[in-house]
């Protein structure tokens, strides 16, 4: 397979016209099998050097037939819907074809990496939209879903060994072939119906421009929920007998140069890239020169660039820096297409960059055969050539509408049958140029995010005025993609700078946690700065123009000054390592390197646990220090502290982070703010990563310190007794804050520890005004006695999202009695690779972590609560087992036995393991901060008035 020459197998026919063109996708696949049996698909394992596996067209058909047998055995019939949640091409494509061959309606769904809650929520919505479809996924993903979802979920592995189906469904050309969701980011996407006839018309039309043959090789690295991956990079080459190379997205996004290496290694002649990747490749290409790496890009005939506007300087730089490697000067083809138009339908073929010199954005060229374009004004009148208006489209490749959404279908078309694209454009000499969008959305790195989705989440935050939130795009002159701006009116007392900074941080953190990227600008504005229609709708396009014309410059500058003050001022980095670390921080957080202070904390700047992985990669790439441990970032989070540790690795020549750090229980996750610090004790797993997202909401309000167990560092022994642990934590807290009033809290196991710390502090004559329990009763001995090493290790794996709750319940019975190292190996084998990478875990590190957790469990077996504190604030979520009511009344309220004053019991959303997760943390932090402010009002007022206790912004001792 993948020989240099296309197949020459002869298939005699009476005349060329005796073989009709395919009428359905089934005909398309069967034709590829018959006429191009030696061609097919190459599935890369990752980076170019990691190898691949080939799959011929007949092998693709055979596996699809076997999966079809399994689906039919589940009772599926033609027209039934199937959600395909599979991230590997070698799994997705045979499953897609099984659905087509059976007459089912496949709907590709993006698989969020390491986030089962997000996948569950996405499945819930799509399930409601499609009327209870079957979801096909793999065992690892299925096992991470809640048990209630399993009734509608089937594991692909269940079909292994099935016999290939003989009978195939014969669809009509007008039947719907696939349902494509309009956006992988929207919380309420629509399902676009694409028929067999539309798809096949599109393939023929596309190839009128692209001219692929059986001698071509295409490359795809985009997930199959994106219409370009399925149509442009699979169905199109399938229709021409071209060879296809499919690589995982992470291989390219983790190192953009892998895009070029894959092209070189596999002789690629056509591929796809949004503008943001063009920019990343151009920026990274200097490394090729530095290392002398040799690449041959001479066979690459064209790169289709769609999904977002091509910035002319970015495209020019891409072509320029890759010219020495053989890339043709006209190889970049800016293109336009939508899910509703079967992906690419307008191409600038060989016209870029000559036709676009001096422009900001590239023109998009001419439409494929059969597609008609027009531009109309607000009244629907067709505009003359060159005038800008709404772009409307018509042709055989345009969708007939949206599944189960007649209202959206009607709204998408004009009375005379033209599809409303939602884009603003102009047509000159038959060439299309886009000038904006009439639909309110932001396109970041090729993905659309709808403004109203973002606003609906943010307006629920404390301190944000409902209906006074606007999410809109901007694109700085030097940016390769659009950036998100969030404007809002604060709901705060005038002059409350700390409160305003906290709200700005909450807005930024919420966007990161929900959508995975940072807004470029969070802009507080007075209500009168929001232009609105007569019906009260915010005019986002007017706000964008205002921002880009400088109308909000005073507000923008004031927000930047406030943030800088709250972060403790600016200390310029010194020396080459500090400057490189500052540059890395700036890249991670999308700010000017000159704005990064040497005393700026990774977490104060908005760093998350996900960012730690990116930080590790950049430090290895730029400074040669590999394996940067999570604890290094946790305990040395400022530019200066991290640079000092990295410099030590460089000087000793180790080139790696050994993880040997002096033990200090206190991890400063957030150090700004003038209020009394909050000290939070770790849960039973001993680590404090669970607090990272929560701590960001305290920026500018009060410092947030986490207490980390002993035993994680190399050669470090876990605590030998419960009193030893408590005394160590008391000493560490008093080193940071010598005198009260104190604010303490603990999550799960940590609540009992926080209670004991409070008792010691009160016995020493100090005041403790807040003691918080995050969903734990005072009596834990009975639970600790249930846990042996097997239960503890399994619980730890579940806590870290390596396995799901159901696995955690079932696995101990199969693991108990095996050697510890075998138990660890089996748990790690079940974990998603992306989650292990995110947490920097392997068998050795997980085993060490499990030993720490087991040691803490052992301490808890002998723990009996005694004595009292003044009062407790108990935050209750769904328990691990039983009902919330029973949990509250018969377990949590036993804290009343251990306080001299009345306790408060506060309900928070989520379950025990998810109350601080991405979905619930914004609501939880608001409840927690209100309660803290109530309890600490007197102490906070005294500090504000210049009392004896002052918080050190640098995280040092307080005096």
């Amino acid at each position: 397979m993948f020989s240099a020459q296309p197949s020459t197998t002869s298939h005699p026919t009476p005349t060329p016209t005796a073989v009709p063109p395919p009428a359905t996708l089934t005909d398309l696949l069967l034709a590829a099998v018959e006429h191009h049996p030696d061609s097919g698909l190459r599935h890369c394992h990752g980076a170019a050097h990691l190898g691949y596996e080939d799959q011929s067209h007949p092998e693709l058909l055979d596996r699809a037939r076997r999966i079809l047998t399994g689906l039919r055995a589940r009772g599926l019939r033609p027209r039934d819907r199937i959600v395909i949640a599979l991230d590997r091409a070698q799994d997705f494509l045979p499953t897609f074809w099984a659905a087509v061959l059976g007459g089912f309606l496949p709907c590709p769904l993006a698989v969020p990496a390491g986030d089962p809650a997000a996948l569950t929520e996405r499945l819930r919505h799509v399930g409601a939209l499609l009327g209870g479809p079957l979801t096909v996924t793999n065992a690892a993903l299925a096992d991470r879903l809640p048990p209630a979802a399993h009734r509608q979920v089937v594991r692909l592995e269940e079909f292994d060994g099935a016999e290939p189906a003989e009978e195939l469904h014969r669809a009509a050309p007008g039947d719907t072939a696939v349902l494509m969701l309009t956006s992988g980011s929207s919380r309420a996407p629509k399902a676009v119906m694409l028929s067999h006839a539309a798809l096949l018309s599109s393939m023929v039309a596309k190839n009128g421009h692209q001219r692929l043959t059986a001698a071509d090789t295409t490359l795809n690295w985009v997930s199959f929920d994106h219409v370009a991956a399925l149509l442009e990079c699979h169905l199109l080459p399938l229709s021409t007998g071209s060879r296809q190379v499919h690589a995982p997205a992470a291989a390219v996004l983790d190192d953009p140069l892998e895009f070029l290496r894959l092209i070189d290694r596999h002789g690629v002649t056509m591929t796809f890239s949004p503008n943001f990747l063009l920019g990343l490749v151009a920026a990274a290409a200097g490394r090729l020169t530095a290392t002398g790496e040799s690449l041959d890009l001479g066979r690459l005939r064209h790169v289709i660039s769609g999904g977002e506007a091509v910035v002319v300087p970015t495209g020019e730089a891409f072509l320029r820096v890759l010219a020495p490697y053989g890339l043709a000067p006209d190889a970049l083809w800016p293109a336009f297409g939508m899910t509703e138009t079967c992906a690419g339908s307008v191409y600038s073929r060989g016209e870029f960059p000559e036709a676009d010199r001096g422009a900001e954005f590239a023109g998009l060229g001419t439409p494929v055969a059969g597609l008609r374009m027009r531009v109309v004004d607000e009244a629907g009148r067709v505009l003359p050539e060159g005038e800008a208006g709404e772009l409307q489209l018509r042709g055989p490749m345009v969708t007939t509408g949206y599944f189960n959404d007649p209202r959206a279908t009607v709204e998408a078309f004009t009375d005379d049958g033209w599809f409303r694209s939602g884009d603003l454009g102009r047509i000159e000499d038959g060439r299309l140029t886009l000038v904006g969008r009439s639909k309110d959305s932001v396109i970041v790195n090729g993905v659309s995010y709808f403004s109203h989705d973002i606003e609906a989440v943010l307006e629920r935050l404390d301190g944000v005025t409902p209906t006074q939130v606007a999410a809109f795009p901007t694109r700085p002159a030097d940016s390769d993609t659009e950036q998100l701006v969030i404007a809002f009116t604060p709901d705060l007392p005038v002059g409350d700078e700390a409160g305003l900074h906290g709200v700005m941080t909450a807005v930024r953190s919420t966007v990161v946690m929900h959508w995975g990227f940072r807004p470029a600008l969070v802009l507080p504005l007075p209500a009168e700065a929001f232009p609105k229609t007569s019906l009260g709708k915010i005019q986002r396009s007017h706000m964008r123009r205002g921002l880009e014309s400088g109308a909000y410059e005073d507000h923008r500058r004031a927000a930047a000054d406030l943030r800088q003050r709250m972060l403790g001022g600016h200390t310029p980095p010194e020396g080459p390592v500090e400057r490189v670390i500052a540059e890395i921080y700036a890249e991670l957080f999308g700010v000017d390197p000159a704005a990064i202070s040497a005393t700026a904390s990774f977490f104060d700047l908005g760093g998350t646990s996900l960012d730690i992985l990116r930080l590790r990669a950049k430090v290895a790439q730029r400074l040669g220090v590999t394996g940067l441990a999570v604890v290094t970032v946790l305990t040395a989070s400022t530019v200066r502290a991290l640079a000092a540790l990295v410099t030590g690795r460089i000087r000793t020549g180790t080139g790696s982070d050994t993880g040997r750090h002096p033990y200090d229980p206190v991890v400063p996750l957030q150090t700004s703010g003038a209020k009394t610090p909050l000290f939070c004790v770790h849960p039973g797993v001993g680590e404090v990563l669970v607090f990272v997202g929560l701590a960001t909401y305290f920026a500018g309000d009060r410092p947030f310190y986490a207490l980390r167990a002993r035993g994680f560092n190399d050669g470090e022994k876990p605590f030998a007794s419960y009193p030893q642990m408590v005394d160590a934590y008391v000493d560490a807290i008093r080193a940071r804050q010598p005198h009260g009033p104190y604010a303490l809290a603990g999550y799960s196991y940590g609540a009992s520890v926080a209670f004991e710390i409070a008792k010691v502090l009160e016995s020493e004559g100090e005041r403790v005004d807040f003691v918080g329990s995050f969903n734990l009763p005072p009596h834990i001995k009975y639970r600790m006695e249930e846990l042996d090493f097997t239960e503890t290790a399994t619980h730890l794996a579940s806590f870290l999202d390596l396995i799901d709750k159901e696995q955690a319940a079932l696995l101990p019975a199969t693991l108990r009695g095996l050697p510890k190292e075998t138990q660890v190996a089996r748990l790690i084998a079940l974990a998603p690779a992306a989650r292990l990478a995110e947490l920097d875990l392997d068998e050795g590190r997980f085993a060490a972590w499990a030993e720490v957790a087991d040691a803490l469990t052992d301490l808890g077996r002998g723990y009996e609560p005694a004595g009292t504190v003044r009062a407790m604030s108990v935050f209750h979520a769904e328990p691990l087992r039983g009902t919330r009511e029973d949990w509250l009344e018969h377990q949590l309220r036993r804290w009343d036995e251990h306080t001299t004053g009345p306790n408060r019991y506060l309900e928070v959303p989520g379950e025990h393991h998810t109350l601080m997760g991405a979905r619930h943390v914004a609501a939880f932090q608001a409840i927690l901060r209100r309660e803290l402010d109530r309890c600490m009002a007197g102490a906070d007022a005294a500090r504000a008035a210049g009392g004896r206790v002052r918080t050190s912004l640098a995280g040092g001792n307080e005096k």
Side-chain angles (χ1 to χ4, degrees):
M1 185 182 160
F2 275 51
S3 57
Q5 299 296 323
S7 170
T8 58
T9 303
S10 175
H11 297 275
T13 57
T15 65
T17 59
V19 181
T24 67
L25 292 190
T26 297
D27 296 338
L28 185 70
L29 177 59
L30 295 178
V33 170
E34 179 180 1
H35 299 295
H36 305 284
D38 296 330
S39 186
L41 291 68
R42 174 166 289 176
H43 302 293
C44 298
H45 297 154
H49 69 282
L50 294 178
Y52 54 83
E53 58 186 86
D54 285 340
Q55 183 181 49
S56 68
H57 290 145
E59 290 169 340
L60 173 62
L61 174 61
D62 179 73
R63 189 170 184 214
R65 286 178 181 268
R66 295 177 187 276
I67 296 171
L68 174 56
T69 296
L71 292 173
R72 284 175 171 164
R74 293 294 297 253
L76 265 69
R77 298 293 180 265
R79 305 293 299 168
D80 285 347
R81 277 75 66 197
I82 299 179
V83 173
I84 306 177
L86 295 164
D87 49 4
R88 300 196 318 157
Q90 52 266 57
D91 294 331
F92 174 88
L93 289 172
T95 307
F96 166 79
W97 281 109
V100 171
L101 298 177
F104 317 136
L105 298 184
C107 179
L109 186 72
V111 179
D115 192 350
L119 178 59
T120 300
E121 177 66 17
R122 197 167 294 176
L123 285 173
R124 184 197 63 76
H125 170 76
V126 174
L129 176 66
L130 303 187
L134 182 73
T135 296
V136 182
T137 187
N138 56 40
L141 280 171
D143 291 343
R144 292 162 62 77
L145 296 173
H150 289 179
R151 291 189 299 273
Q152 296 294 327
V153 172
V154 62
R155 296 160 173 79
L156 183 62
E157 291 86 346
E158 294 177 20
F159 303 148
D160 290 344
E163 292 297 317
E166 294 294 334
E167 181 182 349
L168 306 181
H169 176 76
R170 308 310 300 182
D175 289 349
T176 299
V178 63
L179 301 172
M180 297 297 299
L181 300 178
T182 51
S183 172
S185 63
S186 172
R187 291 181 164 259
K190 299 186 290 289
V192 180
M193 298 185 291
L194 299 177
S195 69
H196 293 268
L199 290 165
L200 294 175
S201 295
S202 177
M203 297 310 111
V204 173
K206 288 175 192 293
N207 215 37
H209 274 52
Q210 298 203 33
R211 308 291 173 85
L212 297 184
T213 71
D216 280 297
T217 299
T218 65
L219 167 65
N220 172 54
W221 56 273
V222 180
S223 62
F224 286 97
D225 63 297
H226 194 293
V227 69
L230 183 58
L231 276 61
E232 208 87 11
C233 300
H234 176 60
L235 292 184
L236 176 59
L238 188 74
S239 71
T240 61
S242 307
R243 297 170 289 277
Q244 306 175 36
V245 177
H246 295 277
V252 171
L253 297 179
D254 288 349
D255 183 358
L257 294 183
E258 285 301 325
F259 181 60
L260 306 180
R261 297 182 184 115
L262 289 164
I263 292 168
D264 168 62
R265 176 158 296 194
H266 301 290
V268 171
T269 57
M270 186 279 276
T271 187
F272 173 85
S273 169
N275 185 78
F276 82 90
L277 181 62
L278 303 178
L280 293 176
V281 170
R287 286 194 278 129
L288 295 174
T289 304
T291 60
E293 186 173 351
S294 176
L295 294 174
D296 178 8
L297 307 180
R299 288 165 289 186
L300 182 59
R301 194 167 68 247
H302 57 276
V303 180
I304 305 297
S305 186
E308 59 183 340
V310 174
V311 180
V312 170
T314 300
E316 289 175 332
F318 176 82
L319 293 172
R320 183 176 63 254
V321 299
L322 297 182
Y325 303 94
L327 185 64
D330 59 353
L332 183 61
W333 289 17
F336 169 80
M338 305 173 65
T339 303
E340 291 88 343
T341 66
C342 294
S345 50
V346 181
Y347 297 95
S348 179
R349 182 176 60 179
E351 299 170 346
F352 182 86
E354 290 303 321
D356 302 294
R357 297 289 187 195
E360 182 180 4
F361 302 115
L364 298 171
T366 56
V368 298
L371 181 72
R372 296 162 61 195
M373 307 185 301
R374 74 182 188 185
V375 171
V376 302
D377 63 15
E378 292 182 357
R381 294 184 293 262
V382 177
L383 293 170
E385 182 171 290
E387 290 193 23
E390 183 192 22
L391 173 67
Q392 298 180 350
L393 305 162
R394 191 168 190 172
M397 65 289 298
V398 175
T399 181
T400 56
Y402 303 102
F403 184 85
N404 199 24
D405 198 339
R407 178 178 177 180
T409 299
V410 170
E411 292 174 349
F413 291 88
T414 64
D415 292 341
D416 55 348
W418 287 75
F419 175 72
R420 304 177 190 273
S421 72
D423 290 292
L424 302 176
R426 63 174 180 268
I427 300 171
E428 297 177 278
D429 298 324
R431 298 180 76 244
L432 173 66
T433 300
L434 295 185
V435 297
R437 283 189 302 283
S438 60
K439 292 178 180 176
D440 289 311
S441 62
V442 185
I443 300 178
V444 180
N445 293 342
V447 179
S448 293
Y449 301 85
F450 292 111
S451 297
H452 58 82
D453 286 340
I454 298 172
E455 292 161 359
V457 171
L458 297 181
E459 67 180 10
R460 296 197 294 266
L461 293 176
D462 281 3
V464 173
T465 303
T467 76
Q468 291 291 129
V469 186
F472 58 90
T474 187
R475 187 193 287 270
D478 58 349
S479 177
D480 296 322
T481 191
E482 287 185 348
Q483 297 179 354
L484 173 65
V485 177
I486 302 294
F488 73 99
T489 298
D491 183 15
L492 295 168
V494 176
D496 185 1
E497 289 196 337
L500 178 57
H501 182 248
V503 176
M504 292 168 60
T505 301
V507 168
R508 183 176 288 106
S509 298
T510 300
V511 173
V512 171
M513 291 184 185
H514 277 79
W515 291 280
F517 69 98
R518 285 177 179 77
L521 176 63
V522 176
L523 187 63
L525 293 174
E528 58 270 20
F530 285 76
K532 293 186 177 182
T533 67
S534 59
L535 296 178
K537 180 182 178 182
I538 294 174
Q539 296 176 299
R540 303 182 186 96
S541 59
H542 289 204
M543 297 192 74
R544 176 177 184 172
R545 288 194 292 272
L547 176 73
E548 294 175 348
S549 66
Y552 303 133
E553 193 57 33
D554 289 347
H555 298 287
R556 185 174 188 163
R557 191 179 301 112
D561 291 346
L562 172 63
R563 180 167 168 78
Q564 192 66 64
R565 288 198 307 276
M566 290 297 173
L567 291 176
H570 184 77
T571 302
E574 298 175 355
V577 177
E578 280 193 11
R579 284 192 286 271
V580 170
I581 297 290
E583 289 171 2
I584 292 173
Y585 279 23
E587 291 171 15
L588 289 173
F589 305 124
V591 299
D592 184 347
I596 299 294
S597 169
T599 57
S601 163
F602 180 81
F603 300 107
D604 286 350
L605 290 167
T608 68
S609 56
L610 289 173
D611 293 315
I612 294 175
L613 176 61
R614 299 171 60 205
L615 175 65
R616 293 172 64 240
K618 288 182 179 292
V619 168
Q621 182 185 103
R622 303 278 294 278
L623 295 169
V625 173
T626 59
L628 189 68
V630 172
V631 63
T632 301
V633 183
L634 290 174
T635 57
S637 62
T638 66
V639 168
R640 180 148 293 164
L642 185 58
L645 286 174
V646 169
T647 300
R649 306 285 181 269
I650 296 172
R651 285 175 178 167
T652 59
T654 60
S656 64
D657 184 8
T658 63
R660 294 189 179 94
H661 308 276
Y663 176 65
D664 180 356
V666 175
V667 178
L669 294 181
Q670 200 292 114
T671 56
S672 64
K675 294 180 182 177
T676 307
L678 173 64
F679 293 88
C680 273
V681 183
H682 58 81
V685 297
E687 191 54 277
V688 298
L689 281 174
V690 68
F691 295 127
V692 170
L694 176 64
T696 62
Y697 288 89
F698 285 77
D701 183 40
R702 68 176 75 244
F704 190 115
Y705 298 126
L707 291 163
R708 186 172 187 259
R710 195 173 72 184
F712 286 101
N713 298 335
D714 287 355
E716 192 174 83
K717 298 296 183 183
F719 290 115
S721 69
Y722 206 96
Q724 183 189 45
M725 173 175 59
V726 171
D727 289 344
Y729 294 170
V730 169
D731 290 344
I733 289 170
R734 298 202 72 163
R736 295 276 172 168
Q737 181 185 337
H739 300 287
Y742 291 98
L744 310 171
Y747 175 35
S748 193
Y749 179 102
S752 65
V753 185
F755 169 73
E756 294 297 328
I757 293 171
K759 282 169 47 184
V760 172
L761 290 170
E762 288 186 349
S763 72
E764 295 174 349
E766 297 292 346
R767 217 173 83 199
V768 183
D769 286 359
F770 175 82
V771 184
S773 167
F774 298 170
N775 210 42
L776 191 86
H779 295 274
I780 63 171
K781 181 178 179 179
Y782 75 95
R783 175 59 178 157
M784 298 298 102
E785 289 176 342
E786 294 175 352
L787 303 178
D788 56 8
F789 176 83
T790 302
E791 290 277 0
T792 300
T794 307
H795 171 75
L796 173 62
S798 176
F799 182 83
L800 296 174
D801 277 336
L802 306 183
I803 60 175
D804 69 7
K805 290 192 300 182
E806 189 172 335
Q807 287 176 305
L810 298 175
L811 281 169
T814 63
L815 296 178
R816 189 171 284 107
L818 298 174
K820 287 184 178 180
E821 57 271 20
T822 303
Q823 296 183 43
V824 167
R826 293 195 179 180
L827 289 170
I828 290 295
L830 292 171
R835 183 62 175 163
L836 292 174
E838 177 189 334
L839 296 172
D840 190 28
L841 277 183
D842 55 21
E843 287 186 24
R845 290 188 179 93
F846 180 78
W849 197 336
E851 290 290 355
V852 172
D854 189 48
L856 290 171
T857 300
D858 190 52
L859 299 184
R861 292 190 186 103
Y863 175 73
E864 287 283 1
T868 59
V869 295
R870 286 202 303 158
M872 297 277 292
S873 297
V874 183
F875 302 82
H876 59 95
E878 292 291 338
L880 291 171
R881 54 193 178 193
T883 67
R884 186 192 286 255
E885 292 75 16
D886 181 71
W887 175 243
L888 175 60
E889 294 302 323
H890 298 105
Q891 298 290 333
L892 295 177
R893 286 198 184 276
R894 295 198 65 182
W895 280 117
D896 292 344
E897 303 167 13
H898 299 282
T899 59
T900 58
N903 295 330
R904 282 169 56 85
Y905 294 87
L906 302 101
E907 182 176 350
V908 295
E911 300 177 324
H912 185 79
H913 286 328
T914 65
L915 62 90
M916 282 183 282
R919 186 176 177 188
H920 302 300
V921 67
F924 176 71
Q925 64 84 24
I927 297 168
L928 171 61
R929 289 175 59 210
R930 279 196 296 269
E931 181 67 1
L932 269 166
D933 287 345
R934 187 191 68 82
C935 293
M936 306 304 298
D940 292 342
R943 294 169 73 88
R948 63 175 180 166
V949 181
R950 181 177 60 84
T951 302
S952 166
L953 293 179
N957 290 345
E958 299 182 354
K959 304 188 190 251

